[in-house]
Amino acid sequence: MSHPQSYEILLVPEHRQSDSRAAEPGTALRSAVVAATGETGASGYPHYTGEGVEADIDPATHTVEALLVDGAELDYGLTVRIAEHTGGTREENGAAREGKDGGAAGRTA
């Protein structure tokens, strides 16, 4: 079975009704594009890495089964979401946009 070659990982705050200071649900605090390594992770699912993030993702359900961010497990109060990523790395995409519009267009996480 083939699986996507890259995903965008989004780290978002958990929604808590009692905390009015929390960021809006769905607001990514950090994002990273991860690419397939061709290996199977400890969870038994395809392993992806990139931009300081390592993830094992179930390609059938698009569920993150294991996650490390900068070598550590996810902090309490954060949750992970993924989006299938089409295209190259952020650097490649930024260079392509730079050539089209004459200015640097990039996204920070």
Side-chain angles (χ1 to χ4, degrees):
M1 174 165 100
S2 73
H3 55 292
Q5 292 303 299
S6 63
Y7 285 99
E8 183 172 17
I9 302 285
L10 304 170
L11 300 178
V12 296
E14 279 186 14
H15 178 63
R16 292 190 178 143
Q17 294 177 347
S18 63
D19 187 0
S20 61
R21 296 173 294 141
E24 288 291 319
T27 303
L29 299 176
R30 180 170 172 178
S31 66
V33 174
V34 294
T37 64
E39 299 172 352
T40 300
S43 66
Y45 292 98
H47 190 69
Y48 294 78
T49 63
E51 300 181 37
V53 175
E54 294 185 45
D56 294 354
I57 301 173
D58 179 348
T61 63
H62 301 282
T63 302
V64 176
E65 298 293 340
L67 180 74
L68 292 176
V69 178
D70 297 329
E73 294 182 358
L74 196 61
D75 289 334
Y76 287 109
L78 294 177
T79 188
V80 63
R81 298 191 183 188
I82 65 169
E84 204 168 311
H85 180 73
T86 56
T89 65
R90 288 183 189 200
E91 291 78 20
E92 291 168 347
N93 290 339
R97 280 184 289 227
E98 197 172 287
K100 287 182 182 176
D101 64 14
R107 188 172 51 159
T108 59

